[in-house]
Amino acid sequence: MANAQEPSLATSLIDRFLPNFSSAEPLENNGITMSEIRAMLYRQRKLIFPTIVAGPVLALGVTWMMPAIYEGTVSVKIDNERAKILEGQDLDPTVTTSDTGRYLATQASIVTSRSLATQVADEMALARDDRFLLSMGKKVKNDGLSKKDADAARREQVITLLQQTVKMATPTDNRVATISFRSRNPQIAAQVANTYADKYIGQNVLQRYEMNAYARKILKNQVTQTQQELRAAEHKAIDYARQYHLIDIGDAASGADEGKGNGGTKDTGNGRSIVTANLVAINDAYAAAQAERIAAEGRWHVAQSASPLDLPEGRNSPSIQGLMQSRAATASQLAQLRKRYAANRPEVQEAAAQLASIESQIATVGQNIRASIRAEYLGALHKEQELAKSRSDLSAQSLGEQERRVQLNLIVRDADTLRRQLGDLLTRLNQIESAADVDTNNIAIIDKARVPDDPVSPIMWRNLLIGLVAGVTLAISTALLRELFDETLQRPEDVEDKLRLPLLGVVPATLTNVLDSLNDGKSGLAEAYYSVRSTIDYASGGDVKKLILITSSSPAEGKSTTAYALAQDFARAGRRVLLVDADTRAPSQHRLLKHARNLSGLTDSIVHQKPFTETIHQSETPDLYFMPLGARPANPAHLLSSDVIAPFLNRLKEMFDVVIVDAPPVMGLADALLLARHMDAVIFIAEAGRAHNGQAKIALRRLRDNGAHVLGAVLTKFNPVESGYGQSTGYYYYYNYRYERALPEGETA
């Protein structure tokens, strides 16, 4: 019994005879290869090469139109920090080596600031007339303004232009920065750069002087404020301690250093008070009482279960010892009397009464001993309970006092902090007062700007390189976008990857006449159709009778030529074949078979019920018969959807081994869909480089929705050179055909 999971015969045959439809080569796209990239570049060559050439040409024209720009450059050395002569000259934060880059970037922002641009503009009087703006290639904005407003607008324009043009380069491997300025006038470029350097250094010195003065003012205010806060904190600590009677007896009582911090200062919150000392004493007494109660409780538990005579108190009691001796002597005497006399003799009875009295006295003494032990236990328990109550009361008082001491400690610590802060401020103020008149600068000019001889812009080779790079980038980007949005089927793999359809074969493009190529059994076209016919024959069941429909998504994709070629090939293979021209819109099979246009055919058999002897005609090829369209029907869809079409096709199937129907395209027409539902197999034709992926998918979906069995697709008019893959690829050699260019338009069906 066959396994249910085994593939069908048709699927197995397809997997065997189709090169790109096997488990070894999955349908998924595994990525872009170099051959695909080369193919893409070749297909887009008419866009890529002109765009690449246009880039340098455009850059050349722009370069000739650009004015010459000169640059004045000043080299300045910027140290991380200035040299210190006196203490107090380190007001600025110390700049570490790792932070040098940020420091230099800050200096660059200062150079490009508006304040420095304003100083340079005023120093050089650049806003006095229009010469500076004209040398910068800017128009003067003074139309319709009064002289005062025009001067203000010109000054604002000069300041903005200085800000935008000046640059400061700060290298990472040294501390020598460059201040540069560009202008069409070389003298102005050098003068502005030098003025910028002078004003930058002057502003740096002024800023440090103002910083010292400001620091002195701030420190004096802070000293005054800190003194007032310290005085208030000290008074607050004294008032708080007096209010809650917080007395520290630690040092006075024991000479200990309790409550002192690491610096030796008194920590009032952790001191030892009277309540704390009492709590310590009570706690020690409670611990001793608890131990005493535990021992007494143990003796009492032993006394409850043991004989008093076995207890240490009983064994060590003199009265017990005396009674025990008396009991032993009396018992001995009673035993002797009982041996000599009867039990009722007075001597025996008197001795027995004496022994009973001694026993009673021993029991009484034992009870007294047990009562004494119990009284001792109860006393210890009462003492422990009293001490526990006293300890609880003192603990509550101590907790309250600790909370108040914590608050007092916070006040004292605030006062200590203010005291240390005041000392630091006074020290710092004295240092700054001493160093107020001594200052140095950490910025120095190394090389002043000279009047440049050569312009820095434009640079021909750089612009040409930029134009070339831009042209290449634009060309490649545009080509990629065109390829991305291009949904045409370019290569055989696209049929399987995009349409998810078995590839039945590939038909090459040809420059010669189609009929001549098909009649030449050694031509690439004939070999290709032979391969397609073999694959279709095996995939559709071999020698069984079959109805095959040939259609495409749009006209002129080679479906009529394919129908004719397959019919001719089946006939040459010894089959009885009927080629039916069902293209009601543009019938063409009569031209390929060299028959007259007005022969009776399909419509005459269906509509007028003419016999097959009048509508089926013999061709020049043995076993190949032809049924033309005949008279064009007024309503093709109504004709093909009638109830007689199915019996009609079944009769043809009984008469011939293979019936090949040339149907109209699927898109926009219902003819192919109406015929496809009655067919054993549908062959879908797609033209390489022209068939649209989305359109083809829609056509296939419409066919399947109408119950058609789409056996596979045939890629026609494939030219490996035009598709970009060339004759050196496997496409050319695999299909074994000679490269021929496409027919002129109108020569193929």
Side-chain angles (χ1 to χ4, degrees):
M1 182 177 179
N3 191 342
Q5 299 298 327
E6 292 181 356
S8 63
L9 174 61
T11 304
S12 299
L13 290 171
I14 290 174
D15 291 341
R16 178 179 179 184
F17 292 100
L18 298 183
N20 293 318
F21 200 68
S22 63
S23 59
E25 296 179 359
L27 295 180
E28 287 78 4
N29 189 0
N30 292 325
I32 300 177
T33 62
M34 289 302 298
S35 62
E36 292 175 346
I37 294 176
R38 288 194 300 269
M40 181 273 293
L41 295 176
Y42 183 82
R43 288 193 295 271
Q44 302 295 335
R45 63 190 181 279
K46 295 181 180 180
L47 167 70
I48 293 176
F49 292 111
T51 306
I52 292 176
V53 173
V57 172
L58 183 62
L60 181 62
V62 172
T63 301
W64 282 109
M65 297 174 60
M66 292 175 62
I69 303 298
Y70 297 88
E71 183 178 68
T73 303
V74 179
S75 298
V76 294
K77 179 185 176 184
I78 303 177
D79 294 324
N80 281 24
E81 57 185 9
R82 57 182 176 170
K84 292 192 297 181
I85 299 175
L86 296 175
E87 287 291 335
Q89 288 186 265
D90 53 350
L91 292 177
D92 294 334
T94 301
V95 181
T96 61
T97 303
S98 59
D99 206 32
T100 301
R102 229 177 335 180
Y103 175 74
L104 293 177
T106 303
Q107 299 305 308
S109 299
I110 294 174
V111 170
T112 58
S113 64
R114 178 179 175 83
S115 62
L116 203 58
T118 303
Q119 295 180 34
V120 172
D122 295 341
E123 176 70 19
M124 299 182 65
L126 298 178
R128 183 172 52 188
D129 49 37
D130 300 337
R131 287 181 296 177
F132 174 74
L133 293 176
L134 295 176
S135 68
M136 299 296 295
K138 300 296 181 180
K139 294 182 179 180
V140 181
K141 302 176 182 179
N142 55 4
D143 297 337
L145 299 177
S146 62
K147 185 179 185 303
K148 181 179 180 181
D149 293 340
D151 292 342
R154 183 168 54 248
R155 183 175 184 273
E156 184 65 27
Q157 192 176 0
V158 167
I159 293 173
T160 303
L161 192 58
L162 288 172
Q163 239 184 308
Q164 295 174 349
T165 309
V166 69
K167 304 295 180 185
M168 184 175 186
T170 55
T172 57
D173 55 348
N174 58 67
R175 299 182 184 180
V176 178
T178 57
I179 301 174
S180 59
F181 187 83
R182 293 187 176 187
S183 173
R184 297 182 182 182
N185 189 317
Q187 288 80 14
I188 290 180
Q191 291 173 5
V192 171
N194 289 326
T195 306
Y196 251 107
D198 295 337
K199 290 300 177 182
Y200 171 50
I201 294 175
Q203 182 175 350
N204 184 65
V205 174
L206 179 61
Q207 182 182 6
R208 291 180 180 277
Y209 176 79
E210 291 177 349
M211 187 180 297
N212 257 338
Y214 181 75
R216 291 198 302 272
K217 179 180 177 182
I218 293 298
L219 283 175
K220 288 181 180 179
N221 292 336
Q222 289 181 348
V223 166
T224 302
Q225 182 180 358
T226 305
Q227 288 175 341
Q228 295 174 355
E229 292 177 356
L230 176 59
R231 188 178 301 109
E234 290 175 342
H235 285 297
K236 182 178 180 181
I238 295 173
D239 294 341
Y240 190 87
R242 181 183 295 114
Q243 178 182 357
Y244 292 103
H245 306 286
L246 299 177
I247 303 172
D248 189 356
I249 65 170
D251 294 340
S254 62
D257 290 334
E258 298 177 4
K260 292 188 177 183
N262 294 334
T265 57
K266 190 69 174 178
D267 193 351
T268 306
N270 296 327
R272 186 169 182 179
S273 64
I274 297 176
V275 175
T276 303
N278 291 337
L279 179 61
V280 172
I282 288 293
N283 192 60
D284 294 340
Y286 173 76
Q290 188 179 37
E292 183 180 349
R293 189 266 306 166
I294 292 173
E297 186 177 6
R299 292 193 299 273
W300 167 239
H301 285 313
V302 172
Q304 285 181 316
S305 59
S307 172
L309 300 179
D310 296 333
L311 297 176
E313 290 82 355
R315 292 194 301 268
N316 299 328
S317 174
S319 57
I320 290 293
Q321 295 295 328
L323 290 174
M324 292 292 292
Q325 293 176 0
S326 298
R327 187 182 66 176
T330 303
S332 176
Q333 183 181 1
L334 179 61
Q336 293 177 0
L337 291 174
R338 284 178 177 173
K339 290 179 180 180
R340 292 188 305 173
Y341 302 106
N344 54 1
R345 290 288 300 268
E347 293 87 347
V348 175
Q349 291 179 353
E350 182 180 358
Q354 186 177 1
L355 180 61
S357 174
I358 293 172
E359 291 285 350
S360 175
Q361 292 178 10
I362 290 174
T364 300
V365 173
Q367 290 177 358
N368 291 337
I369 291 174
R370 186 180 285 113
S372 174
I373 293 174
R374 182 174 182 275
E376 182 181 356
Y377 161 66
L378 292 176
L381 179 63
H382 179 71
K383 180 180 179 181
E384 179 188 10
Q385 292 174 347
E386 290 297 326
L387 288 174
K389 181 179 179 182
S390 299
R391 189 183 69 164
S392 177
D393 295 340
L394 286 175
S395 296
Q397 295 178 17
S398 178
L399 289 175
E401 185 182 74
Q402 286 181 9
E403 183 178 356
R404 290 189 292 273
R405 281 187 173 275
V406 169
Q407 184 63 32
L408 176 61
N409 192 41
L410 293 176
I411 298 173
V412 172
R413 288 181 180 177
D414 289 342
D416 292 339
T417 301
L418 290 172
R419 191 175 295 108
R420 289 192 296 270
Q421 182 179 352
L422 179 60
D424 294 340
L425 289 173
L426 290 174
T427 302
R428 187 66 171 157
L429 180 59
N430 292 332
Q431 292 174 350
I432 294 177
E433 290 285 357
S434 302
D437 297 330
V438 180
D439 206 349
T440 58
N441 184 26
N442 66 322
I443 301 175
I445 296 177
I446 297 178
D447 292 321
K448 281 187 169 292
R450 296 185 301 171
V451 178
D453 297 327
D454 299 321
V456 295
S457 176
I459 300 176
M460 179 68 70
W461 67 268
R462 185 175 62 184
N463 290 351
L464 290 177
L465 181 60
I466 293 174
L468 178 62
V469 173
V472 171
T473 303
L474 180 61
I476 299 299
S477 302
T478 307
L480 287 175
L481 286 176
R482 289 189 64 182
E483 286 288 325
L484 180 64
F485 292 102
D486 183 11
E487 294 191 352
T488 57
L489 304 176
Q490 296 287 350
R491 55 179 185 160
E493 284 85 349
D494 292 343
V495 176
E496 298 174 353
D497 295 340
K498 296 181 180 180
L499 298 184
R500 315 300 294 175
L501 199 64
L503 178 64
L504 300 177
V506 178
V507 178
T510 178
L511 181 61
T512 60
N513 185 273
V514 173
L515 294 179
D516 295 340
S517 297
L518 291 176
N519 291 330
D520 182 6
K522 296 181 180 180
S523 67
L525 191 65
E527 290 289 344
Y529 276 119
Y530 173 76
S531 175
V532 173
R533 192 270 305 165
S534 300
T535 304
I536 293 174
D537 197 16
Y538 281 103
S540 60
D543 295 336
V544 298
K545 292 179 177 292
K546 62 193 76 172
L547 289 171
I548 300 176
L549 180 75
I550 309 296
T551 187
S552 61
S553 60
S554 59
E557 293 192 50
K559 65 175 184 61
S560 298
T561 302
T562 302
Y564 169 75
L566 292 177
Q568 189 181 51
D569 210 22
F570 271 114
R572 289 174 179 172
R575 310 287 182 83
R576 183 176 173 83
V577 183
L578 174 64
L579 175 59
V580 180
D581 193 347
D583 193 342
T584 58
R585 317 293 171 162
S588 59
Q589 292 295 342
H590 62 279
R591 291 198 301 269
L592 296 174
L593 291 166
K594 300 178 182 180
H595 285 277
R597 170 68 182 84
N598 56 357
L599 293 176
S600 298
L602 177 65
T603 55
D604 299 295
S605 295
I606 298 176
V607 177
H608 304 295
Q609 302 295 320
K610 285 188 177 183
F612 287 149
T613 56
E614 298 182 15
T615 58
I616 296 178
H617 309 278
Q618 175 69 47
S619 69
E620 296 178 356
T621 304
D623 294 328
L624 175 58
Y625 297 87
F626 169 57
M627 177 180 283
L629 177 65
R632 292 195 180 184
N635 191 341
H638 179 72
L639 173 66
L640 298 177
S641 62
S642 63
D643 296 336
V644 300
I645 192 67
F648 172 77
L649 293 174
N650 289 331
R651 288 179 57 196
L652 295 179
K653 185 176 180 180
E654 293 174 357
M655 296 171 58
F656 297 91
D657 297 328
V658 180
V659 178
I660 297 178
V661 180
D662 179 16
V666 176
M667 299 304 295
L669 302 174
D671 301 12
L673 303 176
L674 295 173
L675 289 170
R677 66 182 63 174
H678 304 293
M679 298 294 157
D680 297 322
V682 175
I683 308 302
F684 190 79
I685 307 301
E687 180 182 347
R690 180 172 176 268
H692 193 272
N693 177 32
Q695 191 178 39
K697 285 183 177 179
I698 294 175
L700 290 171
R701 184 169 65 249
R702 293 185 64 189
L703 287 170
R704 292 191 177 102
D705 291 344
N706 281 272
H709 171 57
V710 182
L711 189 63
V714 177
L715 186 67
T716 62
K717 304 179 185 180
F718 175 67
N719 188 333
V721 176
E722 291 297 326
S723 64
Y725 294 96
Q727 299 185 16
S728 62
T729 61
Y731 294 123
Y732 184 81
Y733 296 106
Y734 183 84
Y735 296 104
N736 191 22
Y737 65 87
R738 179 172 55 85
Y739 170 68
E740 300 170 323
R741 297 186 61 187
L743 272 172
E745 187 175 356
E747 293 192 20
T748 57

